[in-house]
Amino acid sequence: MMTDKVRIDSFGANAFNGNNDAFLARQAEFESNVRSYPRKLPLAIAKAHGVWITDVENKQYLDCLAGAGTLALGHNHPDVLQSIQNVITSGLPLHTLDLTTPLKDQFSESLLSLLPGQGKDYCLQFTGPSGADAVEAALKLAKKATGRSGVISFSGGYHGMTHGALSVTGNLAPKEAVDGMMPEVQFMPYPHQYRCPLGIGGEAGVKALTYYFDNLINDVESGVRKPAAVILEAVQGEGGVNPAPAEWLQRIRKVTQEHGILLILDEVQAGFARTGKFFAFEHAGIEPDIIVMSKAVGGGLPLAVLGIKKQFDVWSPGHHTGTFRGNQLAMATGLTTLKILKEQDIAGKVAAQGEWLKQQLAAMQKRFPVIGHIRGLGMMIGIEIVKPNEAADHMGSFPADGELSALLQKKCFEAGLILERGGRHGAVLRLLPSLLITKDELAIFLDKFEQALIGAGVKPV
């Protein structure tokens, strides 16, 4: 008798004679035009393990996307799979709204212990299972706690696609023809290591941006009413992998505290050891008022949580709800993931590997000047592709080359390497692999990336 597992495996391997194009054609029939990844990565996945995925044509790919950073431990980690099986065989309900279970209790205790001060000043809020819904909840709570309505966000920031989250996101394309964005959102420039928004660059540029923020809040004729919240990423992800300078973050924390403005740190992509610290804001030694967590917090399954300073937990019961805020399977996989990250000091290993990888890329940059800038922390690395034969600006930065970046993504895919793009004009190739990727696998990445450069017609110097 054929089991469900055999039927699923058989479908994945043999349907349409294992043809990627056949699956993609059917997906185009079934799904809306909104689908994005299949257009850039045209494959149908049959199986995955660790940092490797295999398509229905039995071709293997090194996955440096990992669910946009969701899969901290890679695909199908055995301990994660076992945690799912444990829940299924335990008799626990799979759906609980926000009712309590022993599993939820254990997960909550574990997650809180990882927050600043072992979480003594924080409580948790389980929202709908997307980072965007957690951002919506954070914005609403900040307004409720302060009695104010404005929000300051930053150019290049990405916080989600729901209404409020999109309103505080820098990317303009998704906002086209969408009227009625959330009012009183003030955008400010975010530091950029390669393209200073003030045209100054270096330490002087960071100091100027720090002063700019300070002055906007303190100037009684700035034209901007005191906001309820400031929301930002300590390392911008979709915006092109831009780490915030520590002194800039520290000043923002000081000014917001002085004025009773809640500081919301979006750690959806950069959190959970991704940058070499458990949270990216830890590089600056600050404590946010609200921490937005999703992606890796669920161990690969949908889950989103806020860490809220208890003094700002002014919710009334049921004033932000979500049917799927009690995902027991995600709490099990999340608990397993948190345990492994902590007990195996994955953050420390990731920090060291990230520095090694940037050194290797810097050596490659000398041979391939189209690599204009390498930046990031840990296993959150950005490679900005530029036009080195065109004139640099007064800061020495060459024009971004989004077309070559897109071609390189395609050539990487053909070489068996999956990367994402981001940043202005899509010119930044982004690495977000499993945090358990080995140095040997990173060496394979470097080899495939060089193959892609040569395949795209880039000649080494």
Side-chain angles (χ1 to χ4, degrees):
M1 181 177 179
M2 185 178 287
T3 67
D4 288 344
K5 183 179 186 301
V6 171
R7 284 200 297 270
I8 292 169
D9 289 346
S10 176
F11 178 81
N14 300 320
F16 313 119
N17 296 315
N19 185 286
N20 283 318
D21 289 341
F23 277 107
L24 291 165
R26 285 170 63 82
Q27 188 176 36
E29 281 185 42
F30 296 154
E31 289 195 47
S32 160
N33 287 329
V34 78
R35 69 194 185 285
S36 60
Y37 283 108
R39 302 178 190 277
K40 299 176 285 187
L41 306 170
L43 80 165
I45 300 172
K47 56 185 177 181
H49 180 74
V51 295
W52 297 97
I53 62 177
T54 305
D55 69 13
V56 294
E57 296 177 9
N58 210 34
K59 180 176 179 179
Q60 279 199 320
Y61 299 82
L62 180 65
D63 181 12
C64 287
L65 176 58
T70 298
L71 300 167
L73 305 182
H75 294 278
N76 291 326
H77 189 283
D79 290 354
V80 171
L81 294 182
Q82 185 61 54
S83 68
I84 294 173
Q85 293 172 4
N86 290 346
V87 171
I88 291 172
T89 59
S90 70
L92 274 172
L94 297 183
H95 185 276
T96 63
L97 297 170
D98 62 354
L99 294 167
T100 301
T101 68
L103 171 57
K104 182 178 181 179
D105 181 85
Q106 191 177 358
F107 174 80
S108 300
E109 181 180 39
S110 178
L111 179 56
L112 273 171
S113 73
L114 300 171
L115 302 188
Q118 289 73 54
K120 291 181 177 63
D121 295 330
Y122 288 85
C123 62
L124 301 178
Q125 178 184 352
F126 293 88
T127 67
S130 74
D133 188 64
V135 168
E136 298 283 352
L139 295 174
K140 286 164 58 178
L141 180 59
K143 293 177 181 181
K144 190 176 180 70
T146 63
R148 299 188 293 270
S149 56
V151 178
I152 290 178
S153 190
F154 292 89
S155 55
Y158 180 86
H159 301 289
M161 288 290 171
T162 51
H163 188 80
L166 181 59
S167 297
V168 296
T169 288
N171 194 330
L172 293 174
K175 298 182 180 182
E176 291 178 3
V178 180
D179 292 333
M181 288 280 99
M182 187 174 73
E184 288 196 78
V185 175
Q186 175 72 37
F187 279 89
M188 296 194 68
Y190 187 97
H192 197 297
Q193 294 177 358
Y194 190 63
R195 303 188 184 280
C196 175
L198 298 183
I200 299 172
E203 187 177 341
V206 174
K207 287 184 176 179
L209 286 165
T210 304
Y211 175 79
Y212 184 21
F213 177 84
D214 195 327
N215 186 67
L216 181 86
I217 300 299
N218 284 292
D219 184 359
V220 295
E221 293 198 15
S222 68
V224 178
R225 296 198 300 169
K226 184 185 292 188
V230 170
I231 185 169
L232 59 85
E233 301 160 273
V235 181
Q236 290 187 334
E238 304 295 327
V241 192
N242 297 317
E247 60 267 36
W248 180 80
L249 271 179
Q250 289 162 358
R251 188 61 186 169
I252 286 179
R253 174 65 289 192
K254 187 174 187 297
V255 171
T256 52
Q257 282 181 321
E258 289 172 349
H259 289 269
I261 301 165
L262 271 62
L263 180 59
I264 303 170
L265 258 293
D266 184 335
E267 291 278 334
V268 169
Q269 192 166 107
F272 300 98
R274 171 65 52 187
T275 66
K277 296 279 189 183
F278 229 94
F279 294 104
F281 62 76
E282 292 180 31
H283 292 279
I286 64 171
E287 288 191 12
D289 298 311
I290 302 176
I291 305 166
V292 184
M293 299 170 277
S294 189
K295 292 192 187 295
V297 75
L301 295 181
L303 190 68
V305 192
L306 293 183
I308 304 166
K309 280 282 183 80
K310 291 177 181 177
Q311 68 202 82
F312 302 117
D313 181 28
V314 297
W315 287 119
S316 298
H319 278 203
H320 188 92
T321 64
T323 301
F324 294 100
R325 64 195 185 277
N327 189 339
Q328 296 297 295
L329 284 178
M331 290 179 191
T333 53
L335 180 62
T336 297
T337 299
L338 297 181
K339 182 178 179 181
I340 290 172
L341 293 178
K342 182 178 180 179
E343 292 182 354
Q344 298 183 18
D345 185 28
I346 299 301
K349 295 173 184 176
V350 163
Q353 280 194 319
E355 290 307 307
W356 178 85
L357 181 58
K358 285 191 289 185
Q359 290 172 9
Q360 304 308 306
L361 288 168
M364 190 181 294
Q365 182 181 24
K366 294 176 181 177
R367 294 183 290 117
F368 296 96
V370 296
I371 300 175
H373 194 240
I374 300 154
R375 55 182 178 264
L377 296 167
M379 284 295 104
M380 191 173 182
I381 304 293
I383 305 167
E384 183 156 350
I385 305 301
V386 301
K387 301 175 182 179
N389 296 324
E390 296 189 9
D393 63 20
H394 66 282
M395 295 182 293
S397 303
F398 291 101
D401 196 340
E403 289 186 8
L404 179 56
S405 175
L407 178 59
L408 283 171
Q409 184 186 41
K410 179 180 178 183
K411 293 299 180 181
C412 283
F413 179 76
E414 292 172 359
L417 173 62
I418 291 178
L419 294 177
E420 177 58 306
R421 296 164 59 221
R424 274 76 172 179
H425 313 292
V428 181
L429 294 167
R430 302 196 298 129
L431 279 75
L432 290 164
S434 160
L435 303 183
L436 302 185
I437 192 169
T438 66
K439 189 171 282 189
D440 287 345
E441 288 163 338
L442 288 174
I444 293 171
F445 155 75
L446 290 166
D447 180 63
K448 289 181 179 292
F449 185 51
E450 184 164 340
Q451 287 180 43
L453 285 162
I454 294 169
V458 180
K459 296 180 180 179
V461 297

